[in-house]
Amino acid sequence: MTPSMILPPLLLVVSNVVMIYAWYGHLKHPGWPMWLAILLSWGIAFFEYCLAVPANRIGYGTFTGQQLKVMQEVITLGVFAVFSVLVLGEALRWTYFAAMGCLVAAVVFIFLPVE
């Protein structure tokens, strides 16, 4: 396995952990003014970009753009599942797992050989 096969998924996992906090971490602080939530989220998102952009640049060529995007979406859903349970205290329902199964199917289809 080459770095261009290993690094993109690893960087995408870390970038998604950071981005989930940027997008949803402020929900634990409903008393914050909106401008503060936006400013902090934007500041956190900068670091997500510092990971996601290299992940995509390193992976492109080994993976297609479509493969990278589907990979990122599945990683996002998995990271968010953990975040929603551990940080937001939400339960996972069967419908979540059904949706995750559909995305896993998307990964299978996007990585099938064309010929």
Side-chain angles (χ1 to χ4, degrees), residues 18-104:
V18 174
M19 197 61 179
I20 293 298
Y21 273 95
W23 285 348
Y24 300 100
H26 60 87
L27 296 178
K28 292 296 283 185
H29 306 281
W32 285 359
M34 187 65 71
W35 68 266
L36 180 59
I38 292 169
L39 187 63
L40 290 174
S41 294
W42 213 31
I44 294 169
F46 168 78
F47 296 101
E48 185 270 341
Y49 278 85
C50 291
L51 296 165
V53 170
N56 289 312
R57 291 190 61 121
I58 292 166
Y60 190 66
T62 300
F63 302 106
T64 66
Q66 294 173 15
Q67 288 172 329
L68 286 165
K69 181 59 181 169
V70 170
M71 184 187 317
Q72 186 271 330
E73 292 299 332
V74 171
I75 289 168
T76 296
L77 194 56
V79 169
F80 187 77
V82 173
F83 179 88
S84 68
V85 170
L86 297 180
V87 177
L88 299 178
E90 298 176 354
L92 296 179
R93 302 180 324 227
W94 74 268
T95 54
Y96 183 88
F97 292 105
M100 182 59 136
C102 291
L103 283 176
V104 169

